[in-house]
Amino acid sequence: MYDHAGLEVLERAECLSLLATQPVGRIVFTHRALPAVEPVNYLLDGEQIVVRTRPGSKLAAATRNSVVAFQVDDIDPDRHNGWSVTVVGRASRVEDPAELHRLAALPLRPWAPAPHDNFIRIAIELVNGRRIVAGPDIPVSHLPR
Amino acid sequence: MYDHAGLEVLERAECLSLLATQPVGRIVFTHRALPAVEPVNYLLDGEQIVVRTRPGSKLAAATRNSVVAFQVDDIDPDRHNGWSVTVVGRASRVEDPAELHRLAALPLRPWAPAPHDNFIRIAIELVNGRRIVAGPDIPVSHLPR
Protein backbone atom coordinates (compact mmCIF):
# COMPACT_ATOMS: atom_id res chain seq x y z
CA MET A 1 0.00 0.00 0.00
CA TYR A 2 1.25 3.46 -0.89
CA ASP A 3 0.37 6.86 0.51
CA HIS A 4 -0.34 10.02 -1.50
CA ALA A 5 3.36 10.87 -1.63
CA GLY A 6 4.09 7.51 -3.24
CA LEU A 7 5.74 6.09 -0.14
CA GLU A 8 5.11 2.51 0.90
CA VAL A 9 3.04 2.33 4.09
CA LEU A 10 4.56 -0.13 6.57
CA GLU A 11 2.47 -2.27 8.88
CA ARG A 12 2.82 -2.10 12.63
CA ALA A 13 4.66 -5.42 12.94
CA GLU A 14 7.22 -4.40 10.33
CA CYS A 15 7.66 -1.02 12.03
CA LEU A 16 8.42 -2.73 15.34
CA SER A 17 10.91 -5.05 13.64
CA LEU A 18 12.65 -2.06 12.08
CA LEU A 19 12.75 -0.23 15.42
CA ALA A 20 14.71 -3.15 16.83
CA THR A 21 17.44 -2.77 14.19
CA GLN A 22 18.78 0.69 15.04
CA PRO A 23 20.69 2.03 18.04
CA VAL A 24 19.77 5.73 17.72
CA GLY A 25 16.44 7.50 17.42
CA ARG A 26 15.15 11.00 17.98
CA ILE A 27 12.78 11.93 20.74
CA VAL A 28 10.42 14.78 19.96
CA PHE A 29 8.94 16.79 22.77
CA THR A 30 8.00 20.30 23.81
CA HIS A 31 10.37 22.52 25.73
CA ARG A 32 9.24 25.97 26.87
CA ALA A 33 6.35 25.78 24.41
CA LEU A 34 8.72 25.19 21.48
CA PRO A 35 9.22 22.01 19.48
CA ALA A 36 12.35 20.17 20.57
CA VAL A 37 14.14 17.08 19.33
CA GLU A 38 17.15 15.18 20.62
CA PRO A 39 18.92 12.13 19.27
CA VAL A 40 19.28 9.37 21.86
CA ASN A 41 20.41 5.79 21.86
CA TYR A 42 17.61 3.45 22.85
CA LEU A 43 16.36 -0.08 23.12
CA LEU A 44 13.09 -1.56 21.99
CA ASP A 45 11.78 -3.52 24.98
CA GLY A 46 8.58 -5.30 23.98
CA GLU A 47 6.19 -2.55 22.98
CA GLN A 48 8.07 0.23 24.67
CA ILE A 49 11.07 2.37 23.83
CA VAL A 50 13.60 2.69 26.65
CA VAL A 51 16.07 5.55 26.89
CA ARG A 52 18.39 6.71 29.65
CA THR A 53 18.54 10.35 30.64
CA ARG A 54 20.51 12.49 32.99
CA PRO A 55 18.57 13.42 36.14
CA GLY A 56 17.63 17.08 35.95
CA SER A 57 18.10 17.27 32.20
CA LYS A 58 15.79 19.14 29.86
CA LEU A 59 14.81 15.81 28.36
CA ALA A 60 14.05 14.22 31.72
CA ALA A 61 11.86 17.15 32.73
CA ALA A 62 10.08 17.52 29.39
CA THR A 63 9.17 13.88 29.01
CA ARG A 64 7.64 13.37 32.41
CA ASN A 65 4.18 11.99 31.67
CA SER A 66 3.86 13.77 28.38
CA VAL A 67 3.04 12.50 24.94
CA VAL A 68 6.13 12.40 22.78
CA ALA A 69 7.09 11.18 19.34
CA PHE A 70 10.06 8.93 18.72
CA GLN A 71 11.48 8.65 15.22
CA VAL A 72 13.98 6.22 13.76
CA ASP A 73 15.13 6.02 10.18
CA ASP A 74 17.69 4.43 7.94
CA ILE A 75 18.04 6.39 4.72
CA ASP A 76 20.60 5.97 1.97
CA PRO A 77 21.26 9.48 0.66
CA ASP A 78 22.97 8.21 -2.48
CA ARG A 79 20.29 5.77 -3.56
CA HIS A 80 17.42 7.90 -2.23
CA ASN A 81 15.82 5.00 -0.49
CA GLY A 82 15.25 3.86 3.06
CA TRP A 83 12.60 3.90 5.72
CA SER A 84 11.35 5.93 8.65
CA VAL A 85 9.25 4.83 11.61
CA THR A 86 7.62 7.22 14.06
CA VAL A 87 5.83 6.18 17.21
CA VAL A 88 3.73 8.39 19.43
CA GLY A 89 3.12 7.52 23.03
CA ARG A 90 3.22 8.60 26.62
CA ALA A 91 6.67 8.96 28.13
CA SER A 92 7.16 8.29 31.81
CA ARG A 93 10.02 7.93 34.20
CA VAL A 94 10.47 4.41 35.51
CA GLU A 95 10.15 4.42 39.31
CA ASP A 96 9.42 0.81 40.19
CA PRO A 97 12.57 -0.70 41.77
CA ALA A 98 12.12 -4.14 40.22
CA GLU A 99 11.58 -2.65 36.80
CA LEU A 100 14.59 -0.36 37.23
CA HIS A 101 16.66 -3.39 38.14
CA ARG A 102 15.50 -5.21 35.05
CA LEU A 103 16.14 -2.22 32.75
CA ALA A 104 19.59 -1.58 34.20
CA ALA A 105 20.57 -5.09 33.11
CA LEU A 106 19.65 -4.38 29.47
CA PRO A 107 22.48 -3.58 27.05
CA LEU A 108 21.67 0.12 27.04
CA ARG A 109 24.63 2.30 27.99
CA PRO A 110 24.68 6.08 27.67
CA TRP A 111 27.05 7.41 25.01
CA ALA A 112 27.49 10.82 26.62
CA PRO A 113 30.09 11.12 29.37
CA ALA A 114 27.84 12.29 32.24
CA PRO A 115 25.85 9.72 34.25
CA HIS A 116 22.41 8.96 32.79
CA ASP A 117 20.69 7.20 35.66
CA ASN A 118 17.08 7.93 34.82
CA PHE A 119 15.16 5.47 32.71
CA ILE A 120 12.38 6.84 30.54
CA ARG A 121 9.97 4.56 28.77
CA ILE A 122 7.70 5.45 25.91
CA ALA A 123 4.67 3.22 25.61
CA ILE A 124 4.20 2.68 21.88
CA GLU A 125 0.65 3.68 20.96
CA LEU A 126 0.50 5.06 17.42
CA VAL A 127 2.97 3.66 14.91
CA ASN A 128 3.61 5.13 11.51
CA GLY A 129 6.12 3.78 9.02
CA ARG A 130 7.06 4.59 5.45
CA ARG A 131 9.54 3.20 3.00
CA ILE A 132 10.87 5.26 0.14
CA VAL A 133 11.89 3.48 -3.02
CA ALA A 134 13.41 5.76 -5.61
CA GLY A 135 14.49 5.39 -9.17
CA PRO A 136 13.11 2.87 -11.66
CA ASP A 137 11.31 0.96 -8.89
CA ILE A 138 8.87 3.80 -8.26
CA PRO A 139 5.40 2.28 -8.50
CA VAL A 140 3.71 5.53 -9.53
CA SER A 141 0.77 3.60 -10.90
CA HIS A 142 0.07 2.43 -7.34
CA LEU A 143 -0.52 5.95 -6.04
CA PRO A 144 -3.96 6.48 -4.51
CA ARG A 145 -6.28 8.28 -6.96
CA MET B 1 32.64 24.29 25.94
CA TYR B 2 30.71 21.29 27.22
CA ASP B 3 27.17 20.96 28.51
CA HIS B 4 26.03 19.08 31.61
CA ALA B 5 25.77 15.83 29.66
CA GLY B 6 29.41 16.14 28.63
CA LEU B 7 28.59 16.99 25.02
CA GLU B 8 30.56 19.64 23.17
CA VAL B 9 28.46 22.73 22.52
CA LEU B 10 28.80 23.90 18.91
CA GLU B 11 28.72 27.54 17.91
CA ARG B 12 26.17 28.91 15.47
CA ALA B 13 28.63 29.24 12.57
CA GLU B 14 29.76 25.64 12.94
CA CYS B 15 26.13 24.47 13.17
CA LEU B 16 25.32 26.23 9.90
CA SER B 17 28.38 24.68 8.24
CA LEU B 18 27.28 21.25 9.40
CA LEU B 19 23.72 21.82 8.16
CA ALA B 20 25.18 22.37 4.69
CA THR B 21 26.82 18.94 4.67
CA GLN B 22 23.77 16.68 4.86
CA PRO B 23 20.94 15.96 2.43
CA VAL B 24 18.30 14.75 4.89
CA GLY B 25 16.89 16.28 8.07
CA ARG B 26 13.80 15.84 10.18
CA ILE B 27 11.10 18.44 10.47
CA VAL B 28 9.28 18.50 13.80
CA PHE B 29 5.82 19.95 13.98
CA THR B 30 2.43 19.47 15.57
CA HIS B 31 -0.32 17.50 13.89
CA ARG B 32 -3.75 17.23 15.51
CA ALA B 33 -2.22 18.38 18.79
CA LEU B 34 0.31 15.54 18.75
CA PRO B 35 4.06 15.77 18.17
CA ALA B 36 4.97 14.77 14.62
CA VAL B 37 8.24 14.33 12.80
CA GLU B 38 9.07 13.55 9.17
CA PRO B 39 12.39 13.05 7.44
CA VAL B 40 12.79 15.27 4.38
CA ASN B 41 15.58 16.13 2.01
CA TYR B 42 16.47 19.80 2.16
CA LEU B 43 18.87 22.54 1.21
CA LEU B 44 20.46 25.19 3.35
CA ASP B 45 19.88 28.46 1.51
CA GLY B 46 21.64 31.26 3.38
CA GLU B 47 20.02 31.29 6.82
CA GLN B 48 16.96 29.33 5.83
CA ILE B 49 16.13 25.69 5.35
CA VAL B 50 14.25 24.91 2.14
CA VAL B 51 12.13 21.80 1.69
CA ARG B 52 9.63 20.76 -0.96
CA THR B 53 6.26 19.36 0.01
CA ARG B 54 3.27 17.93 -1.71
CA PRO B 55 0.36 20.38 -1.94
CA GLY B 56 -2.35 19.25 0.46
CA SER B 57 0.00 17.12 2.52
CA LYS B 58 -0.06 16.92 6.30
CA LEU B 59 3.36 18.56 6.34
CA ALA B 60 2.30 21.41 4.06
CA ALA B 61 -0.74 22.13 6.23
CA ALA B 62 1.01 21.76 9.56
CA THR B 63 3.95 23.99 8.73
CA ARG B 64 1.98 26.94 7.44
CA ASN B 65 3.24 29.87 9.50
CA SER B 66 4.02 27.77 12.53
CA VAL B 67 7.15 27.42 14.56
CA VAL B 68 8.89 24.15 13.81
CA ALA B 69 12.14 22.45 14.69
CA PHE B 70 14.46 20.99 12.10
CA GLN B 71 17.06 18.46 13.14
CA VAL B 72 20.05 17.06 11.30
CA ASP B 73 22.64 14.67 12.62
CA ASP B 74 25.50 12.47 11.56
CA ILE B 75 26.14 9.81 14.18
CA ASP B 76 28.47 6.84 13.98
CA PRO B 77 26.75 4.07 15.95
CA ASP B 78 29.88 1.96 16.14
CA ARG B 79 32.21 4.64 17.43
CA HIS B 80 29.53 6.39 19.49
CA ASN B 81 30.44 9.77 18.14
CA GLY B 82 28.93 12.36 15.85
CA TRP B 83 26.95 15.55 15.99
CA SER B 84 23.40 16.85 15.98
CA VAL B 85 22.14 20.30 15.06
CA THR B 86 18.61 21.52 15.72
CA VAL B 87 17.19 24.78 14.53
CA VAL B 88 13.91 26.33 15.56
CA GLY B 89 12.16 28.87 13.38
CA ARG B 90 9.02 29.89 11.64
CA ALA B 91 8.03 27.83 8.64
CA SER B 92 6.15 29.45 5.81
CA ARG B 93 5.10 28.56 2.32
CA VAL B 94 6.92 30.48 -0.37
CA GLU B 95 4.40 32.44 -2.43
CA ASP B 96 6.47 35.12 -4.15
CA PRO B 97 6.83 34.19 -7.86
CA ALA B 98 10.39 35.47 -8.20
CA GLU B 99 11.48 33.58 -5.10
CA LEU B 100 9.70 30.42 -6.28
CA HIS B 101 11.53 30.72 -9.57
CA ARG B 102 14.85 31.05 -7.76
CA LEU B 103 14.15 28.09 -5.43
CA ALA B 104 12.98 25.87 -8.27
CA ALA B 105 16.42 26.28 -9.85
CA LEU B 106 18.19 25.01 -6.73
CA PRO B 107 19.39 21.39 -6.76
CA LEU B 108 16.55 20.22 -4.54
CA ARG B 109 14.53 17.39 -6.05
CA PRO B 110 11.91 15.41 -4.14
CA TRP B 111 12.83 11.78 -3.50
CA ALA B 112 9.24 10.59 -3.21
CA PRO B 113 7.42 9.74 -6.42
CA ALA B 114 4.49 12.17 -6.16
CA PRO B 115 4.94 15.82 -7.24
CA HIS B 116 6.21 18.09 -4.45
CA ASP B 117 5.53 21.53 -5.87
CA ASN B 118 5.23 23.52 -2.66
CA PHE B 119 8.33 25.17 -1.25
CA ILE B 120 8.49 25.63 2.48
CA ARG B 121 11.18 27.72 4.08
CA ILE B 122 12.20 27.70 7.71
CA ALA B 123 13.85 30.90 8.85
CA ILE B 124 16.65 29.81 11.16
CA GLU B 125 16.22 31.58 14.48
CA LEU B 126 17.48 29.43 17.37
CA VAL B 127 20.36 27.10 16.63
CA ASN B 128 21.54 24.36 18.93
CA GLY B 129 24.38 21.98 18.18
CA ARG B 130 26.16 19.26 20.08
CA ARG B 131 29.00 16.93 19.33
CA ILE B 132 29.42 13.65 21.13
CA VAL B 133 32.92 12.30 21.55
CA ALA B 134 33.00 8.90 23.16
CA GLY B 135 35.69 6.64 24.47
CA PRO B 136 39.07 7.73 25.74
CA ASP B 137 38.64 11.24 24.34
CA ILE B 138 35.88 12.07 26.83
CA PRO B 139 36.96 15.26 28.59
CA VAL B 140 35.00 14.54 31.78
CA SER B 141 37.09 17.07 33.66
CA HIS B 142 35.60 19.71 31.38
CA LEU B 143 32.05 19.09 32.59
CA PRO B 144 30.36 22.12 34.15
CA ARG B 145 30.44 21.89 37.94
Side-chain angles (χ1 to χ4, degrees):
Chain A
M1 205 174 79
Y2 295 85
D3 69 9
H4 287 88
L7 304 178
E8 185 185 348
V9 179
L10 304 179
E11 297 195 353
R12 182 182 178 100
E14 182 167 9
C15 291
L16 293 179
S17 297
L18 290 169
L19 284 177
T21 65
Q22 300 295 311
V24 174
R26 294 147 203 102
I27 188 164
V28 172
F29 56 102
T30 300
H31 178 64
R32 294 182 183 163
L34 288 176
V37 48
E38 277 191 22
V40 289
N41 61 318
Y42 73 98
L43 273 185
L44 179 70
D45 175 44
E47 295 229 343
Q48 64 183 10
I49 300 284
V50 181
V51 303
R52 295 177 68 150
T53 64
R54 197 172 49 76
S57 65
K58 182 173 83 172
L59 186 59
T63 55
R64 194 162 297 166
N65 289 317
S66 36
V67 174
V68 303
F70 190 79
Q71 187 266 351
V72 179
D73 60 43
D74 187 13
I75 294 171
D76 182 332
D78 296 320
R79 296 180 174 203
H80 293 192
N81 63 26
W83 55 266
S84 173
V85 170
T86 301
V87 309
V88 174
R90 184 163 294 276
S92 57
R93 184 175 160 195
V94 179
E95 312 263 12
D96 175 63
E99 179 69 354
L100 278 172
H101 195 75
R102 186 181 73 81
L103 294 180
L106 296 179
L108 179 65
R109 296 283 165 267
W111 294 2
H116 283 56
D117 297 335
N118 276 5
F119 284 86
I120 304 288
R121 69 178 146 213
I122 303 166
I124 298 178
E125 292 158 30
L126 306 176
V127 181
N128 195 302
R130 293 289 187 275
R131 177 176 286 118
I132 180 170
V133 181
D137 295 322
I138 299 173
V140 176
S141 61
H142 291 191
L143 287 178
R145 288 163 195 278
Chain B
M1 204 174 80
Y2 294 85
D3 69 9
H4 287 89
L7 304 178
E8 186 186 348
V9 178
L10 304 179
E11 298 194 353
R12 182 182 177 101
E14 182 166 10
C15 290
L16 294 180
S17 297
L18 290 169
L19 284 177
T21 66
Q22 299 295 311
V24 175
R26 294 149 203 99
I27 188 163
V28 172
F29 55 101
T30 301
H31 178 64
R32 295 184 183 163
L34 288 175
V37 49
E38 278 191 20
V40 289
N41 61 319
Y42 73 100
L43 273 186
L44 179 69
D45 174 44
E47 294 229 344
Q48 65 182 9
I49 301 283
V50 181
V51 304
R52 295 177 67 150
T53 63
R54 197 172 49 76
S57 65
K58 183 173 81 171
L59 185 59
T63 56
R64 193 162 299 170
N65 290 316
S66 36
V67 174
V68 303
F70 190 79
Q71 188 265 352
V72 178
D73 60 40
D74 187 14
I75 293 171
D76 181 333
D78 296 320
R79 296 181 173 201
H80 293 193
N81 63 26
W83 56 265
S84 173
V85 169
T86 302
V87 309
V88 174
R90 184 163 295 275
S92 57
R93 184 175 159 195
V94 179
E95 311 265 12
D96 176 63
E99 178 71 353
L100 278 172
H101 195 75
R102 187 181 73 81
L103 295 180
L106 296 178
L108 179 65
R109 297 281 166 267
W111 294 3
H116 283 56
D117 297 334
N118 276 4
F119 284 85
I120 303 287
R121 68 179 148 214
I122 303 166
I124 298 178
E125 293 159 28
L126 306 175
V127 181
N128 195 302
R130 293 289 187 276
R131 177 176 285 118
I132 181 170
V133 182
D137 295 322
I138 299 173
V140 177
S141 61
H142 291 192
L143 287 177
R145 287 164 193 280

